[in-house]
Amino acid sequence: MQAQGKGNSSREAKLGRVALVGCGFVADLYMRSLAAHPEIAVVAAHDHDEARIATFAAHWGVARAPTLESLLARLSPGDVVLNLTNPSAHFAVSRTCLEAGHHVWCEKPLTLELAQARALHDLAEARGLMLASAPSSVLGEAAQVLIGAVRRGVAGTPRLIYAEMDDGFIPQAPYAKWQSESGAAWPYADEFAVGCTLEHAGYVLSWLIAMFGSVTRVVSASAEAIPDKTGASGAPDVSVATLFFENGPVTRLTCSIVGSHDHRLRIFGDKGVLQVREVWDNAAAVRFYRRFTLRRRLIEHPIGRRIRARGPSHPKVGRWGAASMNFALGPAEMLAALAEGRACRLTNAMALHLTEVTLALQGPTGVVEIESRCAPMEVASWV
């Protein structure tokens, strides 16, 4: 680590190297997470805003690349590019990196159009490259322990899932004052224009796809409940969808920036309920609540039994705002797969499938048959 704890030098890297494109708000969250991974080196960073990259590079002690082309020229086969640009730039930047022969980790959403996601997937497949999409939380301890519990039948056969991704009444929050560690403003105009579903549904949807594999049909309804948000309007700020899996239970998924903060994921099985109260916390407790009868009434036990990992899981990072997530878990998994000569658990197919399903959740309202397919994820060895 150099200067402020910040970027990892090439001499320290034992696993691999990454480079960052886009140095806005989320880039600081990646750098803080990468600080917990001294085995990963940060080669350089690029941003089209000269003032922003100067501040970012000075804060984190990383090299600056004046152009995307100069950044790519510094990379070697096996390095991973982190595409942390604004959503509207995701497709073009990822395509340029893939065409240059480099693996890509892209912030969510992978693209804003399904045709673009398919094009990136096909390009990566044709070049033998990895294309993975945020969020990394699916590789976190809470997600992996939950997936393991489902597969061991802790709650019996899953029959129904309720997934909540409500962030509170964000338009009334002091979001104009939110800043990242190096001083980047929270990009509220982009957030409102893209919509909370495309921005946040992946935090639970990725867990469900990893758990059960392919979604085959989405029945969704979305709306803009607050049309006068500062900076942008038009995108849905609430969506409610029913998901039908090829091999999994029916699921209701709700996203909003209107409803009270609620990030619960509940799996209702024959034997009881598995629950995570906060999916934005890698270390959130996974609990099982058994059912019993009291005075002829069927209820769930008020104190759930915690289910834990069998051994150490992954580096944890401090809280940022309402969350505690290691943003580097995805890139670390890609580099580990390369180093170990194995398939990446975050597959190209998963990136495409996650994007297609998320776009279906966003709308328009109606029934969407999902064309792409994705296999379930192998659970971590420490579960």
Side-chain angles (χ1 to χ4, degrees):
M1 303 294 291
Q2 300 177 8
Q4 302 217 116
K6 330 275 205 207
N8 301 332
S9 71
S10 297
R11 291 190 302 274
E12 294 173 313
K14 297 178 182 178
L15 185 60
R17 310 194 309 168
V18 300
L20 281 65
V21 182
C23 299
F25 189 93
V26 77
D28 281 353
L29 304 180
Y30 276 86
M31 289 302 295
R32 180 50 60 197
S33 298
L34 286 165
H37 293 267
E39 73 278 13
I40 299 176
V42 179
V43 176
H46 164 69
D47 194 290
H48 64 82
D49 185 327
E50 293 184 2
R52 174 90 283 269
I53 182 58
T55 300
F56 181 86
H59 181 84
W60 292 107
V62 299
R64 285 188 282 172
T67 65
L68 176 57
E69 291 69 26
S70 66
L71 179 83
L72 297 177
R74 298 182 183 213
L75 302 181
S76 304
D79 293 342
V80 174
V81 180
L82 311 188
N83 182 357
L84 311 182
T85 58
N86 293 345
S88 61
H90 283 180
F91 172 66
V93 171
S94 292
R95 181 179 61 186
T96 297
C97 296
L98 290 169
E99 288 176 341
H102 300 295
H103 307 287
V104 172
W105 167 267
C106 185
E107 248 305 313
K108 54 185 170 43
L110 178 66
T111 61
L112 296 175
E113 298 178 14
L114 180 55
Q116 294 177 339
R118 287 174 175 153
L120 291 181
H121 169 273
D122 294 347
L123 176 59
E125 289 287 295
R127 299 291 180 93
L129 297 169
M130 290 186 293
L131 172 67
S133 172
S136 285
S137 61
V138 67
L139 297 171
E141 184 175 311
Q144 292 293 303
V145 169
L146 180 63
I147 294 171
V150 169
R151 293 186 181 166
R152 293 195 305 273
V154 171
T157 301
R159 302 294 183 179
L160 177 67
I161 295 176
Y162 282 174
E164 322 290 348
M165 188 45 62
D166 292 299
D167 287 336
F169 207 96
I170 295 298
Q172 288 185 348
Y175 55 79
K177 299 179 181 179
W178 294 347
Q179 288 190 335
S180 67
E181 187 171 339
S182 68
W186 186 63
Y188 61 86
D190 273 338
E191 291 275 337
F192 293 157
V194 172
C196 60
T197 301
L198 287 185
E199 291 283 3
H200 294 157
Y203 284 113
V204 288
L205 184 55
S206 61
W207 292 31
L208 299 172
I209 292 172
M211 219 176 283
F212 302 111
S214 302
V215 176
T216 59
R217 177 181 298 172
V218 173
V219 182
S220 67
S222 60
E224 186 176 22
I226 309 174
D228 55 348
K229 294 182 289 294
T230 302
S233 62
D237 47 31
V238 59
S239 65
V240 181
T242 303
L243 310 178
F244 297 89
F245 286 84
E246 193 168 45
N247 295 293
V250 63
T251 298
R252 187 208 68 197
L253 195 160
T254 302
C255 285
S256 87
I257 53 170
V258 183
S260 298
H261 183 98
D262 188 353
H263 288 173
R264 286 178 298 166
L265 179 57
R266 291 173 288 171
I267 300 175
F268 303 95
D270 292 338
K271 299 178 181 178
V273 183
L274 282 165
Q275 176 174 269
V276 174
R277 288 190 177 274
E278 178 52 80
V279 300
W280 275 8
D281 182 357
N282 286 163
V286 177
R287 296 190 183 277
F288 172 62
Y289 299 83
R290 65 177 179 84
R291 296 191 191 93
F292 64 96
T293 302
L294 179 64
R295 296 177 183 174
R296 300 183 182 180
R297 183 178 172 214
L298 186 65
I299 64 174
E300 293 159 9
H301 200 285
I303 302 175
R305 172 173 63 89
R306 183 163 186 178
I307 301 169
R308 301 180 182 273
R310 293 186 302 168
S313 57
H314 55 75
K316 307 296 196 305
V317 296
R319 296 186 67 81
W320 57 273
S324 180
M325 287 186 284
N326 184 335
F327 282 68
L329 293 179
E333 163 62 19
M334 297 173 75
L335 291 170
L338 288 167
E340 297 165 14
R342 58 170 175 81
C344 183
R345 293 162 65 217
L346 296 168
T347 64
N348 297 356
M350 184 176 183
L352 173 59
H353 192 65
L354 178 62
T355 305
E356 182 176 3
V357 177
T358 304
L359 288 168
L361 299 178
Q362 174 94 334
T365 294
V367 180
V368 179
E369 303 293 336
I370 304 300
E371 296 182 2
S372 61
R373 292 294 181 267
C374 172
M377 178 185 290
E378 179 183 350
V379 75
S381 60
W382 37 262
V383 169

